[in-house]
Amino acid sequence: MKITFAAMGALALAPLLGGAALATTLETSAGPVRIEAVVRGLEEPWAIGFLPDGGVLVTERAGRLVLLRDGQAVPVAGVPEVYDNGQGGLLDVMVPRDFADSREVWLSFAMPVDGGAATAVGSGRLSDGGRQLEGFTVHWHGQGTRGGRHFGSRVVEGADGSIFVTTGDRGTGPDGLEAQDPQRAEGKVIRLNRDGSPAADFPGHAAGVHSIGHRNPQGAALDGQGTLWVVEHGAQGGDGLSRIEGGRNYG
């Protein structure tokens, strides 16, 4: 399946990637919105991360990371092996605030492990030319579960520099037993230090488990006060928006 990578509000994006096609302006309740294609030919793009020099990193679910510049998509080598099945594959990309100095890039992905696959997260250094992710290290991964559903997974840099990772319940059923188990990885928000060590420590919770009881959170962001919010897919239209507090159960 071929997908066109398009930008809404391309007045902001066009200077980053260069105009590649005529823009279309649509009238909306919030006013006119311009839509302009900036690159074509991507396959199932899952996430984007903006670099301070104007480049854009894009993950493709099958396992490819590309760097977009001047309307061209250049493959980046050094990406870990992914479990490309169902909803699994290469998922989020996160560019930390200090990238100009560290050149560090974080990825989340479905990782093949004993027992099936698990949500995983790690980081590496983007080479100066942008063609290689060097020294990629897996910092955390969950337990193996069969099937290809509900991996999550969004990665957000916290206000204090810690890293939040959302995980899905892996489609383990309406009872959500794994999501309710604080010793399991499924259906959680995980919090890590920048070096990958656990940053959350709550009684009865496995190391790094920040909150429990989530279904399939694939949206996450900080508000103006630095508080984490997540959006998760719910069954039959029951999507949810939650303000996350450490140690709480959202199921």
Side-chain angles (χ1 to χ4, degrees):
M1 177 173 60
K2 295 289 186 182
I3 297 177
T4 296
F5 178 81
M8 298 187 68
L11 286 172
L13 281 180
L16 297 177
L17 301 177
L22 294 177
T24 299
T25 300
L26 301 177
E27 293 296 330
T28 75
S29 60
V33 173
R34 195 169 95 167
I35 303 174
E36 181 176 345
V38 293
V39 70
R40 299 179 185 277
L42 300 179
E43 298 185 18
E44 295 189 84
W46 204 94
I48 59 177
F50 293 92
L51 301 177
D53 65 0
V56 179
L57 291 170
V58 179
T59 61
E60 294 181 312
R61 196 188 56 77
R64 192 168 75 133
L65 178 67
V66 296
L67 174 60
L68 305 184
R69 279 204 179 103
D70 301 322
Q72 301 297 315
V74 178
V76 179
V79 176
E81 178 188 2
V82 305
Y83 176 81
D84 176 19
N85 182 45
Q87 298 169 0
L90 184 58
L91 303 175
D92 204 9
V93 55
M94 190 276 288
V95 178
R97 292 186 290 269
D98 68 355
F99 174 85
D101 296 320
S102 70
R103 298 196 63 83
E104 191 171 82
V105 172
W106 283 66
L107 298 175
S108 68
F109 56 103
M111 176 180 175
V113 296
D114 290 343
T119 301
V121 64
S123 67
R125 182 189 181 278
L126 187 66
S127 65
D128 292 342
R131 293 178 176 270
Q132 177 80 30
L133 193 59
E134 301 169 337
F136 187 87
T137 300
V138 176
H139 297 308
W140 178 92
H141 67 81
Q143 297 96 335
T145 305
R146 299 290 181 190
R149 299 174 56 200
H150 296 191
F151 289 92
S153 160
R154 194 63 64 184
V155 183
V156 175
E157 183 181 14
D160 63 354
S162 62
I163 307 298
F164 293 102
V165 184
T166 69
T167 75
D169 66 1
R170 301 289 280 106
T172 51
D175 295 331
L177 297 180
E178 282 80 359
Q180 287 294 316
D181 184 348
Q183 292 295 316
R184 297 282 303 185
E186 300 93 339
K188 307 298 188 295
V189 172
I190 306 299
R191 190 174 188 178
L192 304 174
N193 293 309
R194 187 66 176 272
D195 64 2
S197 61
D201 183 17
F202 295 99
H205 288 203
V209 172
H210 188 70
S211 63
I212 73 173
H214 300 283
R215 185 175 185 267
N216 193 24
Q218 290 189 341
L222 303 181
D223 64 18
Q225 288 70 49
T227 301
L228 180 69
W229 293 71
V230 302
V231 175
E232 51 192 297
H233 300 294
Q236 300 179 353
D239 297 349
L241 170 66
S242 301
R243 183 178 63 185
I244 302 303
E245 296 179 10
R248 291 196 59 183
N249 184 343
Y250 291 84

